[in-house]
Amino acid sequence: MKKFIILLGTLLLAVTLNAQVYVGGNLGISFYRDVTTSSARVESKNYFSIAPEIGYAFNKYFSLGTSVLYQWNESGSQRFAVSPYARCTFAQWEHFGLFVDALFEYSSSYTSPIRSRYNSWQAGLAPGFKIPITPKCGLTTHIAFLGWKKVGDEVVFFPSVNFINSATVGFYYNL
């Protein structure tokens, strides 16, 4: 049993020698147009968000992390979300990298002026790219989402392209 524990510890140490903890986050703005069918009005809302993030990079191709999002708009609506993810970087060049996040997000929203609260979730893949600024820090962004989302009482397949309706830029720093 001692040999097995020593072997397991040695393997964990060998795997984590190249690993790094990173911190960062996102600042974003989303443009949302709501068309109400009763009055045929189009209402535009701008959402602002902040999402601190922490993760653990096992190597330059695979990392695990989580982000916590707080989003609000000018009418007083708010959203809080927790989103753990597994990131796989499948292409990395000197000045550019491509990755995909497999993520699950649970969120709680408060809408105003209706003053209602509801919970939702989404799970899927979010491809993106990163631009290293220095060997320890850089910028990231997601360009799309493909997965399932709980809308009301049903779960629907939900593809979206982020650069059409939102702009989110992330920053990371390897400790």
Side-chain angles (χ1 to χ4, degrees), residues 111-129:
T111 59
S112 180
I114 301 169
R115 297 182 188 251
S116 64
R117 186 174 299 276
Y118 63 93
N119 298 326
S120 64
W121 60 267
Q122 66 182 11
L125 300 175
F129 63 90

Side-chain angles (χ1 to χ4, degrees), residues 89 91-99 128-135 137-141 172:
T89 302
Q92 181 71 43
W93 297 279
E94 186 178 349
H95 301 292
F96 190 74
L98 299 173
F99 66 87
F129 63 90
K130 60 183 173 180
I131 300 170
I133 298 171
T134 69
C137 70
L139 301 174
T140 63
T141 189
Y172 67 89

